[in-house]
Amino acid sequence: MGSDELYAHVLKTMRLCAEMNTGYHSEEEVREYLRQITQSDIDDTVRVFPPLNINYGLSIRFGHDCFVNFGCTFLAIGGITIEDGAFIGPHCVLATEYHPEDPALRHKLLTQPIVVGRNAWLGADVKVLAGVTIGENAIVAAGSVVTRDVPPDMVVAGSPARIIRPVKKG
């Protein structure tokens, strides 16, 4: 995809998000906006509480029975997958985009995908950086900054997020 086409999709996504984030919309109306933003099927079990800010919707995939709380931001050019049953707390940022450290190259945009695994839970105000996979059933504590993959069934916390313990079951 060329830069002009990418930019056109970004503008379209921003317009649709602005409409979705203005005023009250029923759950079905929000899902319809998400269908337009992602140009994909959004299952009726998906629940999103606006406002939700997205820069590029074509590379986002929502699984069944997932939930995104108020005030999240998805910088999604690199691709975001939210698998079945995942919970994303309020004010989370999923950023698939980054820039090179070298000042001479810093205007170049680099991307890597983010995956939020099945039944994973991101607490409030979590930041997930490009290239990270959150494993199945994992929990990311509120306020954490996730810079590397989180193994399945683990609780992580901090900045940068580190393994705290296994998820309690039963």
Side-chain angles (χ1 to χ4, degrees), residues 143-162:
S144 296
V145 178
V146 186
T147 60
R148 64 184 105 168
D149 290 354
V150 175
D153 301 301
M154 288 293 166
V155 177
V156 300
S159 178
R162 300 204 187 289

Side-chain angles (χ1 to χ4, degrees), residues 75-136:
L75 300 178
I77 291 173
I80 294 174
T81 301
I82 302 168
E83 294 184 350
D84 296 350
F87 282 13
I88 299 179
H91 302 285
C92 288
V93 175
L94 280 63
T96 69
E97 303 154 24
Y98 61 104
H99 302 275
E101 186 175 325
D102 181 347
L105 302 173
R106 198 163 293 154
H107 290 282
K108 182 175 181 171
L109 182 66
L110 305 173
T111 65
Q112 292 183 337
I114 291 173
V115 176
V116 180
R118 194 172 151 270
N119 295 320
W121 174 19
L122 307 184
D125 202 33
V126 165
K127 312 300 186 240
V128 181
L129 301 187
V132 168
T133 295
I134 309 293
E136 183 175 345

Side-chain angles (χ1 to χ4, degrees), residues 15-56:
R15 179 183 55 78
L16 289 166
C17 282
E19 291 174 13
M20 177 178 70
N21 293 335
T22 303
Y24 172 79
H25 298 284
S26 69
E27 286 185 12
E28 183 52 43
E29 290 170 324
V30 170
R31 282 191 291 271
E32 185 54 38
Y33 275 111
L34 292 173
R35 290 178 185 110
Q36 292 177 48
I37 290 166
T38 63
Q39 293 183 14
S40 68
D41 184 44
I42 302 293
D43 190 78
D44 287 343
T45 60
V46 171
R47 294 179 66 204
V48 172
F49 291 172
L52 172 61
N53 296 300
I54 299 171
N55 68 337
Y56 183 75

